[in-house]
Amino acid sequence: MTKFTAPEQFVEAGKAALETLLGQATSAFGRAERLAALNLNTARSVLEDGVANTKAVLAVKEPQELVKLQASLAQPMVDKAVAYARSVYEIVAEGQAELTKLVEAQIAEINKTVNSALDQAAKSAPAGSEAAFTAAKSAMAAANSAYDSMSKAAKQASDMAEANVAAATKATVKALSSKKAA
């Protein structure tokens, strides 16, 4: 939709698009690296904990000790699982926020370009065509309003899901803690 009046404008638009794409790719690779490191560290920790826990279980002499040991081993595992899930969520949420920001910037640029094109076309349009341009601008405003409403609803759903996950995690940790104390 962008009208290029000079080759330099076309080149600049291409450079800007390439920079945006490279920035997104670099950011995505950074998040992938963080996720891979998190997974490797978690796997290492699970293996080390498994070995230590197995040694502790094998060292048990009496059944009462085994019950106490099981209770003491459960909480650290839950805590680590919660921390892992929280870390994964943060990495994914960061990517989602970055992508949302990019889409919103592109929509704003498209709106600016379309409005500019409509204004230019209106200047050279025949008399009596004002209603068509008003209708086009009204349609754009309605589409933008619908997009804003959908974005707000998606944000609310995301916030609600995050709150539900946090509440479920807290309840699980609390239940395991109370079971351990009993």
Side-chain angles (χ1 to χ4, degrees):
M1 281 198 171
T2 303
K3 182 178 175 185
F4 298 108
T5 56
E8 295 82 21
Q9 288 176 314
F10 182 74
V11 170
E12 288 303 315
K15 284 181 183 177
L18 181 61
E19 286 179 27
T20 299
L21 179 63
L22 289 174
Q24 286 297 307
T26 300
S27 183
F29 280 124
R31 283 189 301 280
E33 286 175 346
R34 286 176 35 213
L35 192 56
L38 175 66
N39 287 335
L40 286 171
N41 290 334
T42 300
R44 180 181 299 119
S45 177
V46 166
L47 179 62
E48 291 169 354
D49 290 350
V51 169
N53 294 347
T54 301
K55 287 178 181 180
V57 168
L58 292 174
V60 169
K61 305 280 188 238
E62 298 178 22
Q64 295 90 352
E65 285 181 52
L66 183 60
V67 172
K68 287 181 183 178
L69 180 62
Q70 284 177 328
S72 70
L73 297 178
Q75 188 64 45
M77 289 172 29
V78 170
D79 291 344
K80 287 181 181 184
V82 168
Y84 172 79
R86 188 176 299 124
S87 295
V88 169
Y89 176 80
E90 288 171 1
I91 292 169
V92 171
E94 180 184 295
Q96 180 186 8
E98 190 174 301
L99 186 59
T100 298
K101 190 173 163 183
L102 175 68
V103 169
E104 288 174 352
Q106 288 178 337
I107 287 173
E109 185 60 33
I110 288 169
N111 285 338
K112 186 173 124 182
T113 301
V114 169
N115 278 328
S116 176
L118 284 173
D119 289 343
Q120 289 296 327
K123 289 178 184 175
S124 61
S129 60
E130 295 84 13
F133 288 103
T134 301
K137 284 189 175 190
S138 178
M140 275 191 56
N144 286 334
S145 178
Y147 172 77
D148 288 344
S149 294
M150 287 188 305
S151 293
K152 287 177 185 173
K155 174 73 171 128
Q156 287 174 342
S158 176
D159 290 347
M160 190 181 308
E162 184 177 348
N164 288 341
V165 168
T169 301
K170 186 176 180 180
T172 302
V173 169
K174 184 177 179 181
L176 285 171
S177 295
S178 64
K179 200 175 201 182
K180 179 181 168 184

